[in-house]
Amino acid sequence: MSAPLRRCPALVRVRLVALMAVREALHLRLVPLFAALALAPVAAVFWLRGFNFGTAEWKFIVDFGHGALGAGGLLLAVLATVQTVSGDGEHRTAQMLLSRALTPAEFLAGKLTGLLALLTWFAAAVALVLVALLRWRAGDASDALAVALAGIGLIWLKLTVTVALTLLIASYARSALFAAGAALLLVMLAHLRHLVGPGADWTRAWLLVLPDFQLFDPERLVGLAGRARALLLLGSAAYAAAYVTLYTALAAWLFKRREH
Amino acid sequence: MSPPPVPTAAVTLTGVCKEFRPSWRRPPVRALDALTLSIPAGQIFGLIGPNGSGKSTALKIVAGLLSPTAGECRVFGDAAGSAGAKARLGFLPEAPHFPRFLTAREFLLYCGELSGLAGGELAGRADELLAWAGLAGAAERATGTFSKGMAQRLGVAQAVVHAPDVVLLDEPASGLDPVGVRGLTRLIRGLKQDGRTVVLTSHFLPQIEEVCDRVALLHEGRLLREGAVGEFVGPAGGRLERFYLDQFGGSAS
């Protein structure tokens, strides 16, 4: 254990809860799902190798990889978060943990850290498969590779917001079923938020409660040069960080007030 | 001659009320109504009463898991839920559930680390507790494979892993067979011998009668009576169960 960790008992507790969240998520048989989703593009390209997409082939592979990460990652983010947070509440495991030095905020911070680590591995696995595929099928297309990886970065940011949003709902919900249903509904609404037309009506302020997931669409990277791409990524990271901070703070507040 | 020393109170509840609001449309339900109790240090204290009398709510308030609507609760002078109070408490919830993928030893190590223990001290403590709870042979077994009795004993072990001064046990005998109850009773007595204060709730009155020094009888969130077990059973050696049934109706037979 590193020296800063030893000096800060709260960080030790957050790390312990994070490790336990990862172990629990892995135990939930999410690993096979994780592997299947990461390998799906490989299988698909083998199946489609008789076709020649010409110059558009790299785009097809990238879109497929992004799709696998986006869909699988969202399900993983929602289900793993609900299971590790609501499950502890429903089974009274949280009571045993929270009667110790562990505070509700540390408990949630640990869960968030563990789940983000899990999603990072998931995104890294998909990225590895994607890079290998692009090298194999599209040759030395370094710009295509950069766009593909930046797209994975954008999707990873969306997944971090999804975890924080689900954490917020699970901190309030009384059942895992409600938490999962509500989180999936809100994730869907976040994807549709950009469809609401422009206007200065004050009711539009309510829309700010939900992030606009369209801002994490990898298509936005297409045609951007290196610097513009980096700026877009930075802006998206700041946008995601704002929502993750807001949702996690609200979740900690709700969880503290919750009657265990 | 100096007066006999007043026993230190391990836990005090003063005018504690607790209301739950099931939903915003429904009126609040009062689980505890001005409960005032003083639990002496070093004793085994039983909370008994019918279902819904507020026993578990009282324990959760002491553990800092619930906040009282009114009144105050203190553990050795520290407000319940504060870091100081939590450090001196161990809690076993009713029907505890452990992460199924962890072994008994791993779970104890996890709880110990969360309580600030580490390294060889923690490893030694975990092994000692596994042996104490009769789980040394099952130390490397996943808790998901445990019987109810083993799970309850592991629950008691996790509650005392950090050597707390006060141990709260919510329905520890629930669902146990007579052998399991016997094993649990041995553990609870051991806690008292180690100088700890034990507060337990139970519907299994023979166990309460056997191990407790004092008992509080709750009904609808209010304290009906509190005293030494002997005061409930009488000098003629009546049974606590008889007293209980007289209070709440029913027949001992």
Side-chain angles (χ1 to χ4, degrees), chain A residues 80-163:
Chain A
T81 307
V82 164
Q83 183 58 32
T84 59
V85 178
S86 298
D88 276 359
E90 285 179 4
H91 294 133
R92 298 191 177 100
T93 312
Q95 290 182 4
M96 278 185 279
L97 305 181
L98 292 170
S99 62
R100 302 178 181 283
L102 184 72
T103 66
E106 290 165 5
F107 178 79
L108 286 184
K111 295 284 183 188
L112 180 71
T113 309
L115 291 161
L116 291 187
L118 190 77
L119 284 170
T120 304
W121 295 338
F122 180 66
V126 175
L128 275 177
V129 173
L130 207 54
V131 167
L133 273 176
L134 284 171
R135 287 265 179 207
W136 175 47
R137 299 289 290 189
D140 186 22
S142 53
D143 195 56
L145 212 58
V147 171
L149 291 177
I152 285 182
L154 276 183
I155 296 170
W156 181 82
L157 288 172
K158 181 170 78 173
L159 298 181
T160 62
V161 179
T162 304
V163 169

Side-chain angles (χ1 to χ4, degrees), chain B residues 80-128:
Chain B
S82 66
K86 278 178 155 189
R88 302 186 76 168
L89 271 177
F91 177 57
L92 169 70
E94 186 181 356
H97 187 280
F98 314 104
R100 297 176 61 83
F101 51 91
L102 290 185
T103 65
R105 193 166 192 279
E106 285 174 330
F107 185 68
L108 283 186
L109 293 176
Y110 178 46
C111 291
E113 280 193 85
L114 282 177
S115 298
L117 304 178
E121 179 199 3
L122 174 58
R125 178 77 180 148
D127 289 337
E128 179 192 323

Side-chain angles (χ1 to χ4, degrees), chain A residues 96 99-100, chain B residues 9-11 13 39-47 55-56 58-65 74-76 84-94 108 125 129 132 152-172 184-202 208 211-214:
Chain A
M96 278 185 279
S99 62
R100 302 178 181 283
Chain B
V11 177
L13 295 111
I39 298 174
Q43 295 198 357
I44 302 179
F45 194 95
L47 284 175
K55 307 182 294 293
S56 295
L59 278 198
K60 286 180 189 172
I61 286 175
V62 178
L65 296 167
R74 293 192 170 272
V75 179
F76 285 109
K86 278 178 155 189
R88 302 186 76 168
L89 271 177
F91 177 57
L92 169 70
E94 186 181 356
L108 283 186
R125 178 77 180 148
L129 281 175
W132 175 72
Q152 289 294 69
R153 281 182 278 141
L154 177 60
V156 178
Q158 65 78 31
V160 297
V161 69
H162 53 303
D165 295 314
V166 180
V167 185
L168 310 173
L169 307 174
D170 195 0
E171 302 284 357
L184 190 72
T185 302
R186 178 182 60 80
L187 295 186
I188 294 170
R189 282 206 172 117
L191 293 174
K192 185 187 172 187
Q193 283 164 7
D194 290 344
R196 305 186 208 292
T197 307
V198 181
V199 187
L200 77 149
T201 71
S202 183
I208 291 277
V211 300
C212 287
D213 299 298
R214 296 183 75 80

